[in-house]
Structures are given as C-alpha cells and as structure tokens.
C-alpha cells in the first residue's frame, strides 16, 4: 500500500492529508492562530471551586475559564503541589525532582476543596482543546511527548506500549529505560521505540528533560495566566503522531514548514530524509493530488460508498448519528437478508474511514439495515472491531441492540472536523438574486485593472473555478491572452477546485492573499494610499 502525506500550509491554517493508494483516509486541520493546543503548559490561577462537580474553574487567559476535575489532578498531586511551592520560594533556583521528597498519593475519592483554593497558582496542561461553548480541559499530570517516549514528572512508573507484542523486547526496553531514567520521572514507552538503540532513546530522554527544566525556569519568571511550554510547530506536532517509516512521500508547499519537517524526519528516521519534498507548482497542492475533490465528496451530510448505497451523518452537541441506507442497490442473486449484510459490511468500512477522516469523538450511534439472523449481526460486530483496530483514538464498540443500533464511544480531544461542502453563491451571498453571469468576465477585468493600475501590484496569480478557467483560456485569441497583453506577463490565471463557480481569489508574489473584493469597493484616497504604502513595504 502506497502511503503519502500532503501538507497544505495556508496563511491561517495548516491541513495535513494522509493518502493510502491515493485515497484520502485522514485529514487534520490546525488553525495557525489558535491559542490553545493539546500538550501546551500554562501557569494558571484557580478562579472558582465547584464542590458539586468536584472540580475547579481555572483562568488560563481564555474567554471561558478552563475546567480542572479532581480526577485530573493525578495521584501525585501532593508532591507536585509541594514542588511548585518550592519553586516559587526561590525563582533563581530550579529544584531537582530526584532530590525532592515524595509525598503520599491523594485518595481516589477525595474532594477538590481540600486541595485547592481560589487564587492558588498551578502549572497545568491542556488535555482537551475548547470545544463548542466549553473552555479547555486541564490536567496537572504533566507530560512531555517525544517520538519514542512520554516523560512524566513526579512518577517512577515505566509503562510499555501494548502494541509491542514481543516479551523480550518489552523486557529490554523496561531495563534500558530504567537505567537512563532519572529518579522522580515516569516514562511511557511508545510503539516507535521498538528495536531502537540506547543512544537514540537516551538522546530523546535528555531532550525531554531539558524541556522540563526550561519550563520550570520560565514558570518562575512568569505571572499567571502565561504560556509556559508550547508543543513543536503545528505541522511537526501533527506529523509526529502519524509519521511512519512506510511513508513514500511527504509533500509540503511552504519552504519554512518543509525545513522543519525535513529536520524532524532527519532526526527520527535519517534514512528517510529524502521522502520530504517541497511542492513549488502554482496549482494548489490539494488540487494536484486530487484531495479537494475527495473532500467535497466525503464531508457532506450524505456519503455514497458502493452500488448506490449511502450513509447519512448528523452531528449534535451530545452525539453523532449515522443512518445506513441501501438506496437503489439491488442484486437478483442475493436474498434480502444477504443483501442487508453486504450493505452493512461495506457501510462499516466507510463509517470507520469517516470516523478517522472527520475525527469524530464522543458517542456515535449507527442505525444499520435490520438483519434477522444472529450470525449476520455477529459478523457485522466482528468486522467493525477488526477495521477499527487500526484507529489510533481509544474507542469502545458495543454489539448491535435489538433495534439494529450499534453504539461506539471514541476518544474526543479536538472538535470534530466539520467541513461544509455546500457553496454559498458568491454573487448573491445566499439572497437568491445574482448579477448577470455573462458580465462576470467584465467584472474580473475591472478588478484586474484596479489591482494593476491603482494598487500597483504587477505580479500575482488569479485563482478561479476550473470551468471559468477553461472559458477564459478558450481559443487562440482567448480572454486570458487579451488580459496578459493589457496588464502584463505578471498576470497568471490558475484553476482552483475549492472555489465556488463565480468565486475568485488573488495571491501576490509573496504568497499573501489580496482581499480584492473589499479594496475595490473602497474609493477613498486614504484607503488607496494605505494600500499603495503596504505594497511598497512588501
């Protein structure tokens, strides 16, 4: 199976698509301006204690206070709390955990008001990003994640990934980590550490320890709320958990991100450094690899999968509901029961893909086509467990109920990826009345004239819908050719499948998007002078 990663870096977000045999199986989007990411550490202050919830609301600088439950304090909270007090006493000295006395673990059934009071300063870690109207969820069980291991202060436990099956390898890793791990730190050994040499593991251990020491030193100099430790760059942190040596290519369309990913791959898999490639073509990278078309067909409310069968996906605040329909599928050689089983098995394949693709979490309820035979219901349950085995998110699958419903719980760390595939008309903005489409090219020509002669932008790329692109380039004496003769050779026209029919966007030579729609409607000399000045600065 050919596996490839495609990284699309835009001004406001980063998108990473995983392709298996050119088929989209996973899509992750990260807002580059997002303030909170899982794994980030903050110096925060307790704002309010909620005894009824056995939790506290904590100020980390977010518009909604973050949520910290008693169970997220961790059994070593007493040691953690005493250590922080020692840190705050002398901001110029970082106490060594290895020499710090370990306190007794807190009880599992304790109450939060006995441990926290409003105003108390805590070093917290984002466990879940803000979802919907909720603030971030926090934990004081701190961890620093690397490629081969997770380092956990205030613990001495060594855990080995269950995906490492060899007993001999588990014993080797446990002994090896025990010999290089400092006292007062616990380690979770990840699957990627299997068969790795001691030098590689020791190097990462030292790196993670340095992150911990730097974080404590920064915390001592900070005033809450303050960001203390940030995960690697968005692209590297996204790739870290999904990277596999089996990847044949990693394409990146931005030089800085390309350099970061290349350095990371060179660090963890030097033999695979050449698989990271810089994409430099003007055609949007997702269009080039056929990803935009797959997104449009996979993220709608209705998803077809085989021979007319389809599923309908509905999202609510509490759960996700999926309905399986056979559509116009019919096979004369199959009876109704066998046909239902066939549709349900193929639907299970698509549903497992959709859960990964949309990163759906929480409770998922699936309404399969009714089947009367118990062995068929068991076959479907076993098949779903088998195809979900490769899902990295923790999940639990229940057998079909007597109503033909299957319930799945899946780990939810980030909001589900909900991409709207319906397009609002860019001419009427959903009002139902549009300008004459025949005049669209005249309108575009006016925009180009304003861009070149008023804003003084000479080199740029105009992206339009593929149908519009084909029309503008049609014939020997095309409209595009006329524009190039009038406005200069710096004008480029490219198709973009992500755009609606009469939509367009302009990218300058610095890869920055020019909001032409707003600027062309502004007639004041002040605005024009401001735009000219900003272009001169570029």
């Amino acid at each position: 199976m050919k596996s490839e990663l495609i990284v699309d870096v835009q001004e406001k977000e980063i998108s990473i698509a995983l392709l298996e045999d050119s088929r989209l199986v996973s899509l992750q989007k990260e807002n580059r301006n997002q303030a909170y990411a899982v794994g980030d550490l903050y110096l925060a202050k307790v704002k309010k204690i909620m005894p009824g919830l056995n939790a506290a609301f904590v100020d980390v600088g977010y518009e909604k206070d973050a949520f910290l439950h008693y169970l997220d304090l961790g059994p070593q909270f007493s040691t953690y709390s005493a250590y922080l007090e020692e840190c705050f006493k002398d901001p110029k000295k970082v106490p060594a955990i290895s020499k710090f006395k370990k306190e007794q673990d807190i009880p599992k059934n304790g109450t939060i008001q006995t441990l926290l009071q409003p105003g108390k300063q805590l070093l917290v870690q984002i466990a879940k990003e803000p979802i919907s109207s909720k603030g971030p969820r926090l934990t004081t069980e701190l961890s620093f994640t690397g490629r081969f291991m997770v380092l956990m202060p205030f613990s001495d436990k060594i855990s080995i990934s269950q995906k490492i099956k060899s007993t001999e390898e588990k014993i080797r890793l446990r002994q090896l980590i025990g010999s290089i791990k400092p006292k007062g730190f616990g380690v979770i050994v990840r699957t990627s550490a299997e068969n790795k040499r001691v030098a590689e593991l020791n190097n990462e251990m030292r790196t993670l320890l340095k992150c911990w020491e730097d974080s404590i030193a920064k915390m001592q100099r900070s005033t809450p709320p303050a960001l203390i430790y940030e995960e690697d760059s968005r692209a590297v942190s996204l790739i870290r958990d999904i990277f596999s040596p089996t990847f044949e290519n990693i394409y990146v369309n931005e030089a800085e991100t390309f350099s970061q990913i290349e350095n990371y791959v060179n660090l963890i898999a030097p033999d695979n450094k050449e698989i990271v490639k810089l994409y430099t073509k003007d055609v949007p990278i997702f269009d080039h690899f056929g990803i935009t078309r797959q997104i449009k067909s996979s993220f709608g409310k209705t998803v077809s999968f085989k021979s007319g069968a389809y599923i309908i996906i509905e999202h609510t605040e509490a759960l996700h509901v999926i309905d399986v329909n056979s559509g116009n599928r019919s096979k004369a050689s199959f009876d109704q029961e066998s046909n239902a089983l066939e549709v349900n098995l193929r639907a299970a394949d698509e549903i497992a893909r959709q859960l990964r693709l949309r990163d759906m979490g929480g409770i998922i309820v699936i309404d399969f086509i009714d089947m009367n035979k118990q062995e068929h219901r068991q076959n479907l349950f076993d098949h779903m467990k088998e195809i979900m085995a490769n899902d990295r998110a923790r999940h639990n699958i229940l057998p079909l109920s007597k109503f033909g419903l299957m319930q799945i719980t899946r780990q939810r760390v980030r909001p589900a990826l909900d991409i709207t595939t319906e397009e609002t008309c860019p001419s009427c903005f959903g009002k139902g009345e549009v300008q004459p489409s025949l005049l669209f090219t005249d309108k575009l020509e006016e925009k180009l004239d304003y861009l070149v002669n008023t804003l003084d932008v000479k080199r740029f790329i105009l992206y339009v819908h593929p149908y519009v692109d084909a029309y503008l380039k049609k014939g020997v004496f095309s409209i595009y050719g006329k524009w190039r003769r009038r406005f200069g050779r710096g004008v480029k026209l490219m198709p973009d499948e992500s755009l609606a029919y009469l939509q367009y966007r302009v990218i300058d030579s610095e890869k920055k998007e020019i909001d032409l729609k707003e600027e062309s409607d502004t007639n004041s000399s002040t605005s024009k002078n401001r735009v000219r000045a900003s272009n001169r600065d570029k």
Side-chain angles (χ1 to χ4, degrees):
M1 182 182 292
K2 181 182 178 182
S3 297
E4 294 179 304
L5 275 182
I6 314 299
V7 183
D8 181 18
V9 182
Q10 298 295 332
E11 190 173 350
K12 295 182 179 179
E13 70 177 9
I14 295 176
S15 303
I16 298 181
L18 172 60
L19 302 180
E20 292 180 356
D21 292 334
S22 299
R23 187 169 184 252
L24 181 65
V25 296
S26 177
L27 179 68
Q28 298 189 47
K29 287 180 176 284
E30 191 80 30
N31 192 332
R32 299 182 76 179
N33 300 320
Q34 189 168 332
Y36 296 91
V38 172
D40 289 355
L41 265 63
Y42 284 83
L43 177 61
K45 185 180 289 187
V46 177
K47 199 167 183 182
K48 188 189 300 182
I49 304 295
M50 303 294 290
L53 298 175
N54 204 16
F57 286 106
V58 181
D59 180 17
V60 291
Y62 188 60
E63 58 182 348
K64 294 277 187 180
D65 290 333
F67 184 80
L68 177 63
H69 193 272
Y70 178 86
L71 295 177
D72 293 321
L73 296 177
Q76 304 90 17
F77 182 78
S78 297
T79 307
Y80 155 93
S81 185
Y83 180 83
L84 288 192
E85 289 180 10
E86 189 70 23
C87 291
F88 293 134
K89 284 180 183 177
D90 187 0
K92 297 180 181 180
K93 180 183 178 184
V94 177
I97 289 184
S98 57
K99 299 178 181 178
F100 201 78
K101 179 186 174 184
K102 186 176 181 181
E103 304 286 339
Q104 187 175 359
D105 289 355
I106 63 174
K108 290 184 178 180
N109 300 318
T111 57
I112 199 162
Q113 60 264 38
T114 61
L115 300 174
L116 298 180
Q117 301 81 36
K120 184 178 178 66
Q121 293 187 28
L122 298 173
L123 183 62
V124 295
Q125 190 164 34
I126 305 294
K128 284 187 179 180
E129 292 177 1
I131 296 176
S132 186
S133 60
K134 301 174 183 176
R137 181 152 184 170
L138 307 177
T139 179
T140 57
E141 286 190 280
L142 309 179
S143 62
F144 293 82
T145 305
R147 175 63 184 163
F148 304 126
M149 67 187 75
V150 180
L151 185 69
M152 305 181 69
F154 311 109
S155 172
D156 281 312
K157 187 177 180 182
I158 299 175
S159 302
I160 310 293
S161 169
Q162 295 181 355
K163 293 184 179 180
I164 298 178
K165 303 300 183 184
S166 169
T167 304
E168 294 79 7
E169 179 62 11
K170 286 184 177 181
I171 294 173
R172 183 188 79 90
L173 287 171
R174 191 177 297 277
Q175 291 175 342
L176 194 157
I177 295 297
S179 65
I180 64 176
K181 176 187 75 68
K183 183 182 177 183
F185 288 90
V187 174
I188 299 174
V189 181
R190 307 185 73 184
T191 310
S192 54
E194 190 172 11
N195 300 320
K196 290 295 183 289
R197 294 177 290 114
V198 63
E200 294 177 89
L201 299 177
N202 186 58
N203 180 56
E204 182 164 278
M205 176 77 74
R206 300 302 116 195
T207 302
L208 296 177
L209 282 170
K210 182 71 165 51
C211 292
W212 160 253
E213 292 167 359
D214 291 346
S215 298
I216 294 300
K218 184 176 180 181
M219 179 196 74
Q220 292 174 307
R221 303 189 303 268
S222 303
T223 303
L227 175 63
I228 300 301
Y229 169 79
E230 193 170 12
E231 285 274 344
D232 297 321
S233 72
R234 298 294 194 199
V236 172
S237 61
L238 285 171
I239 284 178
R240 182 185 61 207
D241 291 335
I242 62 176
F243 178 80
S244 169
T246 60
F247 288 158
E248 294 189 17
N249 297 296
I250 300 177
Y251 290 98
V252 191
N253 66 343
E254 196 227 17
E256 183 181 351
T257 306
F258 163 76
S259 179
Q260 293 172 353
I261 294 175
E262 185 181 45
N263 292 337
Y264 177 73
V265 173
N266 186 44
L267 178 66
I268 63 172
D271 295 339
N272 291 7
K273 181 181 177 181
E274 70 282 353
I275 70 173
V276 186
K277 300 170 183 176
L278 180 63
Y279 179 87
T280 56
K281 297 179 181 178
D282 290 331
V283 177
I285 188 170
F286 272 18
D287 287 8
H288 179 78
F289 290 97
I291 296 170
T292 305
R293 184 177 295 274
Q294 293 190 57
I295 291 174
K296 294 282 187 182
S297 64
S298 299
F299 277 88
K301 177 180 174 181
T302 301
V303 180
S304 301
F305 56 91
K306 194 174 183 182
S307 303
Y310 61 94
I311 58 177
I312 298 175
I313 303 175
E314 295 276 8
H315 304 282
T316 72
E317 180 72 19
L319 49 80
H320 308 278
V321 182
I322 302 176
D323 183 36
V324 179
N325 294 277
S326 60
N328 57 8
R329 174 191 169 90
S330 61
K331 286 192 176 182
S333 59
F334 280 14
D335 57 37
Q336 183 176 350
E337 180 76 9
S338 300
N339 189 58
L341 175 62
E342 175 69 14
V343 172
N344 284 339
L345 291 176
R346 299 292 72 79
D349 293 336
E350 183 60 32
I351 289 168
R353 172 177 173 255
Q354 288 289 332
L355 295 184
R356 291 176 61 192
L357 197 56
R358 304 186 188 213
D359 202 13
M360 293 161 61
I363 301 173
I364 300 105
V365 179
I366 308 168
D367 181 13
F368 284 104
I369 298 173
D370 290 341
M371 296 181 295
N372 296 321
K373 295 183 180 179
Q374 179 58 35
E375 62 266 28
H376 288 175
R377 298 156 72 94
Q378 186 63 40
N379 286 346
L380 177 59
F381 174 60
D382 293 340
H383 182 70
M384 180 62 86
K385 287 200 299 183
E386 179 184 346
I387 59 179
M388 289 283 288
N390 294 327
D391 194 333
R392 291 175 48 253
R394 291 195 303 271
H395 58 272
N396 186 32
I397 305 172
L398 297 182
L400 270 74
S401 70
K402 64 179 181 180
F403 299 116
L405 302 178
M406 178 179 288
Q407 299 174 64
I408 300 175
T409 59
R410 188 173 183 271
Q411 180 186 21
R412 179 167 69 173
V413 176
R414 296 180 176 87
L417 187 60
D418 189 16
I419 296 176
T420 303
T421 55
E422 290 80 12
E423 298 172 348
T424 300
C425 173
S427 295
C428 73
F429 301 101
K431 295 178 182 177
E433 294 181 355
V434 301
Q435 297 176 359
S437 55
L438 188 63
L439 302 180
F440 178 64
T441 55
D442 297 340
K443 182 181 177 181
L444 272 184
E445 189 168 355
E446 291 176 8
K447 301 286 186 182
L448 296 182
D449 180 69
Y450 175 79
L451 186 66
V452 173
N453 297 321
T454 304
L455 301 187
D456 199 28
V457 180
K458 302 301 183 183
R459 300 184 63 83
F460 57 87
I461 302 175
L462 173 65
Y463 288 99
V464 295
H465 189 277
Y467 288 175
V468 177
D469 175 76
Y471 173 75
L472 293 174
K473 293 178 178 176
K474 180 185 66 173
V476 178
F477 300 101
S478 65
I479 298 175
Y480 174 51
K482 184 184 79 171
W483 288 352
R484 298 256 291 181
R485 289 189 294 273
R486 177 181 173 186
F487 300 116
R489 297 290 174 179
V491 178
K492 261 191 173 182
L493 184 69
M494 297 296 298
D496 186 343
E497 295 178 0
S498 67
L499 296 177
Y501 183 52
L502 298 181
Q503 198 174 7
Y504 59 90
R505 64 189 182 100
V506 178
I507 303 295
D508 65 14
S509 57
E510 302 284 329
K511 302 291 185 183
K512 300 283 181 64
E513 184 168 350
I514 301 174
D515 196 348
L516 197 58
K517 294 184 291 298
E518 292 183 3
E519 295 295 350
S520 65
D521 295 334
T522 306
N523 296 318
S524 70
S525 58
T526 304
S527 174
K528 293 179 181 178
N529 291 335
R530 175 175 54 80
V531 173
R532 288 197 191 100
S534 88
N535 280 297
R536 283 198 300 270
D537 292 338
K538 290 178 183 178

